[in-house]
Amino acid sequence: MDYQKLVDEAFIASENAYAPYSSFKVGASLLLTDGTIIHGTNIENAAYGSTMCAERNAVFQAYCQGYRKSDIEALAIVGDCSPLISPCGACRQVLAELLDPYTPIVLGCKDYYEVTNIQELLPRAFIGESL
Ligand code: THU
């Protein structure tokens, strides 16, 4: 899998960020097993808590189109920060539900990326099987 290409796609996604309050543009890209790439970016709101993060927008969009976790090959999340973007707690909780535990998650910045997964980012997650 070409992780650099997925990072590049996430940066393209970030160009559509609506971030008038933080000016912090985040991009996400999802690679699906049928080759489709889905973009997400952060969409902020004057009521700050109503903001939606880039990675959640991307994964929700995939699910809205009928894709499910078995269709997701990898997720990239990028931002112009050092050393790397780190998904917020709410995103980790959502990713724990909607991604397989070991699906590659690529965290990227301008010229560097690392590959991790939600099992590593949110160990011992509270998920449906816990109920
Ligand atoms: N943000 C994301 O979109 N994803 C992350 O992983 C971290 C934070 C957004 C939310 C908000 O629009 C801005 O970054 C600053 O917190």
Side-chain angles (χ1 to χ4, degrees), residues 47-70:
Y48 296 168
S50 302
T51 290
M52 184 52 66
C53 291
E55 53 271 60
R56 269 184 286 163
N57 272 330
V59 174
F60 288 159
Q61 174 64 19
Y63 269 69
C64 284
Q65 291 185 28
Y67 294 104
R68 291 296 179 262
K69 57 174 73 172
S70 60

Side-chain angles (χ1 to χ4, degrees), residues 2 5 37 40 56 77 80-81 83 96 104 108 111 118 122 124 126:
D2 188 344
K5 178 175 169 9
I37 289 180
R56 269 184 286 163
I77 311 165
D80 187 11
C81 57
D111 40 32
I118 196 60
L122 188 62
R124 303 182 66 173
F126 182 77

Side-chain angles (χ1 to χ4, degrees), residues 4 7 11 24-26 55 76-88 92 105-116 120-121:
Q4 185 58 56
V7 165
F11 272 113
F24 186 66
K25 296 181 172 196
V26 183
E55 53 271 60
I77 311 165
V78 304
D80 187 11
C81 57
S82 179
L84 289 169
I85 187 102
S86 188
C88 77
R92 290 177 198 221
I105 298 177
V106 187
L107 303 178
C109 57
K110 282 279 174 246
D111 40 32
Y112 176 71
Y113 66 75
E114 269 179 29
V115 184
T116 181
E120 204 167 78
L121 291 171

Side-chain angles (χ1 to χ4, degrees), residues 2 6 19 28 35 40 42 44-45 47 55 58 62 74 80 98 100 104 106 110 125:
D2 188 344
L6 207 55
N42 51 327
E44 297 187 343
N45 194 278
E55 53 271 60
D80 187 11
L98 302 184
D100 281 326
V106 187
K110 282 279 174 246

